[in-house]
Amino acid sequence: MFGVIDLPTYLAGLVLIVLLPGPNSLYVLSVAARQGIRAGYTAAAGVWCGDTVLMTLSAAGVASLLKANAVLFGIVKYAGAGYLTWLAIGMLRAAWTMWRSRKQEAAEQAPAPVAAAQERPYRRALVISLFNPKAILFFIAFFVQFVSESNPIVGFVTLGVLAQLASVLYLSALIFGGSRLAAAFRRRRRLSAGATSTAGVLFLGFAVKLSLASV
């Protein structure tokens, strides 16, 4: 049906995979919490574009190439792990700065707008999505199994639309939930520093997970 094999199983697996925390969803939540709904959707757009690129590469056979070529897959995963580590270090440095300045009245009143403007959430989210270990393994090991050989083009499109729809619903929930944290973060520098520290540690964990990933 629609070029898909065993659609109920795919949908069940898709829900579970989408709900698992990953660097892209965590980053969207972080942006929404610090900068609001509009910035959150800007980051989410980067995630959706990145996932579309991965879907297209999977349909073009790149997923099979990565699965068959250990060296190429190693290059991709270590490059992704390095980028996630760089982001984690940046988050931890930002959190340390917040901790040091938490007693300053000016810092309590408003976060630095320049840092937010320089963050470029769309571009960061796009790169995070392209190197997201969960997404890479999803499109290499799970996604392609449900494409019917009799109608592969329709199958890829159907699976891709369903995956993006699930992502839109999930990230929208995170964005609106994260925006509620924004006021608290603006009022309490210590809370913002703690959340940023946690995000940095989690990103280090994602980097380690990606570096240990195998197909």
Side-chain angles (χ1 to χ4, degrees), residues 5 23 25 28 39 41 48 54 68 115 132 159 166-167 171 177 181 188 194 211:
I5 302 172
S25 57
V28 170
Y41 271 109
W48 297 327
L54 291 178
N132 176 16
L159 295 177
S167 179
L171 292 183
L181 298 175
R188 301 181 60 184
S211 67

Side-chain angles (χ1 to χ4, degrees), residues 69-81:
N69 192 319
V71 175
L72 184 59
F73 181 75
I75 293 174
V76 172
K77 75 175 184 178
Y78 286 122

